Amino acid sequence: MSTTDDHLIELRRDLHRHPEPAWREFYTTCRIVEELERIGVDDIYVGREAIDPDERMAVPDSSELVEWFTQAREAGAKEDVLDRLDGGYTGCVAVLRRGEGPTVGLRVDIDGLLRGESREETHVPASEGFRSEHEGAMHACGHDGHTTIGLGVLEAIKESDFSGTLKVFFQPGEEMIAGGKAMAEGRHLADVDYLLALHLGLDHPTGEVVAGIDGFLAVSHLHAEFSGEPAHAGAAPNEGENAVQAMATAIGNLYAIPRHQDGATRVNAGQVGGGTASNIVPEHAFIEGEVRGETTELMTYMRERADRVLRGAAEMHGCEVDIETKGRAPSARSDAELADVVSTIASGIKGVDRVLERDALGGSEDATYLMREVQKNGGYAAYVGIGTDHPGGHHTATFDIDERSIGIGIDVISGAIEEIAATRPE
């Protein structure tokens, strides 16, 4: 490995040690800015400057934000940047200007997941000493690698013959579908002609590249809070209004929503709870759930039906329900014009053994907000898969990436950006 490669591997491992979930990416954002200053970009927009602050979704309560903010400070986060992130305004946009030419954007996500990481010796981060230092949180989807690739691409483009403007969007909150809309509705996408987004893995091995990913399921995360009336379950059950009963009715009926003739739909009650004791008619219960659809319209159909089910279940059992949207993202498609460029470039990259023209994600991603915004403005967008061998599946305690894929990702994406600027595909 070159010195630069060694530096990027160490950076990735530092990010892996400090995973931070949505709107709590304080250390991560500060570390990114340190690297941007080292590289020497033209503009760095941080926190509120990088997003539309009013469009954040699933923002944690203030006490949790303070806890993660303090943790980042104690870990040595850059003070002048950290102060600009206070309140959970994380993420940044880097701009590199290199003369006349198109504006090309690259979106990478930076957040971790709220799940514990394996301590097994067979798990490389544990055996090599870069396992998560934040118990109950880890990079279980490769976003530490995405961030590293984004920074590596910036440095590669700066040293290349690229002519135009490159913008790299370091987006918070993807795992909760919470940050894409805020970044898409900031002021930095308006002039972007071409946008690439990337993801490591997705069950593709190291050396395999997917030039254009489709099959994004539009998604809406919801939280339903049921409120009833308590009563003694033995002495006077008739005086209560059972919130858990309303919740249980709702769960059954959510799964009974009719499928749609126009395409695939999904529903899930992923976390439920309520009640305090076996002898008390419960007055509170909740559902954390989601609906998805093959298209944005199908997701909307599912969400409207889900809201009706939740309200109906509450009314049936004499309760009230408060329904909140926690995160939301539309579907999107990769433009063939950009996927073709990626395919051509990837075919000539050392370490790439196979290039797939297309594949379906089969899940959801809020990069779709940025993709659709660029496409709405007349530009082109594509979502690229960079294969990586991962011993555990995405979102599992043993997930890790093959660090060789970082260099491959940098070469593929930076090569595609140079070719886009030179040929301006239409």
Side-chain angles (χ1 to χ4, degrees), residues 78-291:
K78 192 174 168 60
E79 284 285 348
D80 59 331
V81 179
L82 189 60
D83 289 342
R84 296 160 68 187
L85 309 176
D86 196 8
Y89 298 94
T90 50
C92 67
V93 177
V95 182
L96 184 69
R97 295 188 178 86
R98 286 295 178 268
E100 293 296 319
T103 298
V104 184
L106 171 63
R107 178 272 198 180
V108 293
D109 40 15
I110 68 174
D111 55 320
L113 277 156
L114 285 170
R115 67 144 304 121
E117 182 165 12
S118 172
R119 294 180 178 275
E120 297 296 324
E121 280 298 309
T122 53
H123 182 55
V124 173
S127 62
E128 294 291 326
F130 62 96
R131 180 184 175 275
S132 171
E133 296 176 6
H134 302 161
E135 290 304 321
M138 72 172 286
H139 273 294
C141 203
H143 296 191
D144 49 341
H146 301 173
T147 304
T148 304
I149 291 173
L151 290 163
V153 166
L154 264 169
E155 193 157 19
I157 292 297
K158 185 179 179 183
E159 296 171 356
S160 75
D161 295 328
F162 170 82
S163 182
T165 298
L166 173 63
K167 294 185 175 184
V168 180
F169 297 83
F170 295 93
Q171 184 210 299
E174 185 279 329
E175 294 291 3
M176 298 187 70
I177 314 294
K181 190 170 192 289
M183 187 147 272
E185 298 198 9
R187 56 192 175 91
H188 301 290
L189 271 181
D191 63 342
V192 171
D193 302 299
Y194 305 96
L195 177 76
L196 296 176
L198 69 93
H199 205 297
L200 287 166
L202 303 177
D203 298 320
H204 296 279
T206 301
E208 194 164 279
V209 172
V210 184
I213 291 178
D214 294 313
F216 297 96
L217 297 178
V219 62
S220 180
H221 292 174
L222 61 89
H223 178 89
E225 194 77 30
F226 294 89
S227 301
E229 291 292 335
H232 193 292
N238 55 294
E239 295 180 5
E241 304 290 1
N242 194 318
V244 166
Q245 193 174 11
M247 175 196 74
T249 298
I251 292 170
N253 289 336
L254 283 170
Y255 287 102
I257 294 173
R259 305 300 89 177
H260 200 287
Q261 65 184 11
D262 290 344
T265 57
R266 304 281 191 273
V267 63
N268 190 49
Q271 185 179 9
V272 302
T276 55
S278 63
N279 61 350
I280 300 173
V281 174
E283 61 192 296
H284 296 297
F286 73 92
I287 296 174
E288 290 274 359
E290 65 171 31
V291 296

Side-chain angles (χ1 to χ4, degrees), residues 15-33:
L15 295 172
H16 192 90
R17 281 192 293 267
H18 299 92
E20 297 167 306
W23 306 120
R24 287 150 281 188
E25 306 96 331
F26 298 114
Y27 180 90
T28 304
T29 303
C30 291
R31 192 71 181 84
I32 292 167
V33 172

Side-chain angles (χ1 to χ4, degrees), residues 6-50:
D6 290 341
H7 175 76
L8 289 174
I9 296 306
E10 182 51 44
L11 169 63
R12 179 258 161 168
R13 293 186 174 195
D14 183 40
L15 295 172
H16 192 90
R17 281 192 293 267
H18 299 92
E20 297 167 306
W23 306 120
R24 287 150 281 188
E25 306 96 331
F26 298 114
Y27 180 90
T28 304
T29 303
C30 291
R31 192 71 181 84
I32 292 167
V33 172
E34 285 182 4
E35 289 297 311
L36 295 174
E37 292 175 346
R38 179 189 64 81
I39 293 166
V41 299
D42 293 290
D43 293 302
I44 304 172
Y45 299 94
V46 174
R48 293 173 184 266
E49 302 168 349

